[in-house]
Amino acid sequence: MADTTSDPGPTPYGDYDFIVVSNRLAVDRVVVDGQSDWRRSPGGLVTALAPVMEHADGAWVGWHGAAGEPLDEFDHSGMHLVPVELSAREVELYYEGFANATLWPLYHDVIAPPEFHRTWWDAYRRVNRRFAEASAMAAAEGATVWVQDYQLQLVPAMLRQLRPDLRIGFFNHIPFPPLEIYAQLPWRQQVLEGLAGADLIGFQRPGDAQNFTRCVRRFLGAASRQGVFTMTDENGAERRVEARSFPISIDSRHIAELARDEEIIERSRQIRHELGDPTTLLLGVDRLDYTKGIPERLKAFGELLEDHRVSVEDCTLVQVASPSRERVEHYKTLRDEVESTVGRINGTYDTLEKTAIRYLHQSYPVEEMVALYLAADVLLVTALRDGMNLVAKEYVAARTRNDGVLVLSEFTGAAEQLRQALLVNTHDIDGVKNAIVRAIHMEPRETARRMRAMRKQVLEHDVKRWSSDFLSALQERR
């Protein structure tokens, strides 16, 4: 006889007290000895949150990077990992489309024109719903959920609808645009409502939080005071939401430790020798992205050579441009522009012994990057718009002898903390040129004074402090 006992159904709560939700999981797939395996991602976010997850019984929700591949939940590096499946079509519409061809340019001051397509928006909503449902299923009663970045702006409200018992935070890693720019988004109200589902919304800079609050007042009609605004749900219940800045940082002590490693120090000497032992080595390190100001940097350097203010015999620029979103048309165009400019400058100024610009279109492990930081006399960060720019902080952390000069765009979040850098307006090519020349000829005493102050800031405000500050503020919100 069949069992007719009624099934109470699954519990509405999961097993994990702390959930991180991001577009990607905290691990990368690798092949070792012909076998597929996983390794913990080297990024700062994982570095900051992995210890929290290990102590708080945590889970990480994200896409595992392979389109159309179903994958069961698994444990790795002390974390429970909850893969979210995305089809190839969803990657195209949600990620390459709405996230990176609509939101990314819009949030970066429309340096490139954003595209608005309803099919992209529909995919964005659908994928955000899937992330929210996976998070709701994993979270224990009263759990804390921290949603990360612009790809998942609808998740907080969707998650609150599914699980009103949760404490929800959101952090926006990129800039948030002024109202006049944000207003262009056809789905501006829906995105704001999605974000307002969180209890605490973090931004890189106070100006980003102010931009967001202004948009909430304008498009949602919510009253606000000192970054706190009141949301009213469909039942008339009120809820207070806070928007404020939490500048992200790096694992600065790890970078400093690598910078003291004798093998890495020796590698830095080798790099300079391989480049012909230039008197001055300039360095640029960026994703190949139109927000990073790479063409402007190359233009400034080319003009310095043309003006004979620097010479190829004494000065070399190394430009590392790691591949980025190579299927998106704007990025293909940018790569062609950058490589054409490098070719023109080198063709004009190279000698048989010396190269003006060593261009490297690839990514490197952190050890090689630290060696490059040690080798370089000057780091050039000329972004047109950047939420933070962690490369600038990594360079500072690596300069354990308090030498080296940072030329830093005032349009980066890092400029608000690293005030002792030589700050530049990237659009002012003459100003960038003058800053480069000043950096090359700066007296060692001034160099040490500036770098010492910046290192103090970076070492005291590392990525672990960033995560601790945010999570402490989130606990206080309810």
Side-chain angles (χ1 to χ4, degrees), residues 1-15:
M1 185 174 180
D3 185 359
T4 57
T5 305
S6 61
D7 183 353
T11 174
Y13 304 124
D15 299 323

Side-chain angles (χ1 to χ4, degrees), residues 10-321:
T11 174
Y13 304 124
D15 299 323
Y16 300 94
D17 295 319
F18 179 56
I19 309 287
V20 175
V21 192
S22 67
N23 180 62
R24 291 297 297 267
L25 283 178
V27 293
D28 298 320
R29 181 176 271 144
V30 294
V31 177
V32 180
D33 297 327
Q35 299 294 318
S36 178
D37 200 357
W38 301 95
R39 70 178 176 194
R40 180 183 288 186
S41 299
L45 183 65
V46 179
T47 299
L49 297 182
V52 180
M53 304 191 78
E54 292 170 8
H55 289 95
D57 196 15
W60 195 297
V61 177
W63 178 45
H64 56 285
E69 178 189 39
L71 191 66
D72 293 334
E73 300 179 19
F74 62 103
D75 294 313
H76 190 280
S77 301
M79 296 177 286
H80 185 72
L81 301 167
V82 182
V84 174
E85 183 181 350
L86 297 179
S87 68
R89 181 67 170 161
E90 286 171 334
V91 172
E92 177 187 352
L93 300 179
Y94 143 77
Y95 181 71
E96 295 173 356
F98 196 80
N100 289 313
T102 299
L103 294 176
W104 180 268
L106 185 74
Y107 282 30
H108 286 86
D109 292 351
V110 294
I111 294 169
E115 298 180 41
F116 305 116
H117 300 292
R118 285 168 289 182
T119 54
W120 291 1
W121 166 249
D122 291 340
Y124 186 79
R125 281 191 308 171
R126 186 167 60 253
V127 170
N128 272 240
R129 169 64 66 175
R130 194 174 307 150
F131 274 84
E133 290 172 348
S135 305
M137 291 180 64
E141 184 176 8
T144 295
V145 181
W146 194 359
V147 185
Q148 305 290 330
D149 222 1
Y150 66 104
Q151 301 97 341
L152 302 174
Q153 291 177 109
L154 306 182
V155 169
M158 291 174 172
L159 192 54
R160 184 163 300 284
Q161 184 181 43
L162 293 167
R163 292 286 304 277
D165 60 296
L166 299 176
R167 182 182 280 108
I168 303 171
F170 182 92
F171 189 78
N172 197 63
H173 292 259
I174 67 173
F176 195 90
L179 183 150
E180 293 77 11
I181 291 178
Y182 182 78
Q184 297 177 38
L185 184 65
W187 308 278
R188 60 198 185 189
Q189 182 172 336
Q190 295 95 314
V191 169
L192 292 175
E193 289 171 344
L195 290 168
D199 299 293
L200 176 65
I201 307 166
F203 297 91
Q204 299 282 23
R205 299 190 281 189
D208 296 321
Q210 292 163 8
N211 287 343
F212 173 76
T213 302
R214 188 176 172 217
C215 289
V216 167
R217 287 200 301 263
R218 171 66 177 83
F219 298 119
L220 299 186
S224 67
R225 180 180 177 84
Q226 296 182 331
V228 179
F229 55 93
T230 302
M231 296 297 296
T232 304
D233 67 19
E234 55 191 19
N235 299 319
E238 292 187 344
R239 188 172 55 81
R240 288 160 63 83
V241 179
E242 182 177 8
R244 56 186 277 202
S245 65
F246 297 87
I248 199 170
S249 192
I250 60 170
D251 188 353
S252 49
R253 281 164 180 77
H254 177 58
I255 297 294
E257 288 171 3
L258 291 174
R260 295 187 180 95
D261 185 291
E262 285 300 326
E263 290 187 5
I264 292 177
I265 292 171
E266 179 57 33
R267 173 60 183 148
S268 73
R269 298 191 188 105
Q270 183 183 6
I271 288 171
R272 289 189 72 102
H273 182 67
E274 291 171 351
L275 292 168
D277 292 314
T279 304
T280 303
L281 181 59
L282 309 177
L283 175 65
V285 177
D286 311 87
R287 282 190 310 103
L288 188 58
D289 189 286
Y290 52 76
T291 66
K292 300 299 184 180
I294 299 173
E296 289 77 9
R297 182 183 314 157
L298 297 177
K299 180 177 177 61
F301 184 63
E303 289 189 9
L304 286 174
L305 290 167
E306 183 180 0
D307 299 341
H308 304 291
R309 297 176 71 183
V310 301
S311 71
V312 73
E313 288 78 13
D314 296 324
C315 187
T316 296
L317 169 62
V318 173
Q319 176 61 59
V320 178

Side-chain angles (χ1 to χ4, degrees), residues 288 290 294-296 298-299 330-344 359:
L288 188 58
Y290 52 76
I294 299 173
E296 289 77 9
L298 297 177
K299 180 177 177 61
H330 285 304
Y331 292 81
K332 296 177 185 177
T333 302
L334 174 65
R335 181 177 179 180
D336 290 344
E337 177 187 358
V338 167
E339 293 181 353
S340 173
T341 302
V342 169
R344 178 181 55 79
Y359 175 72

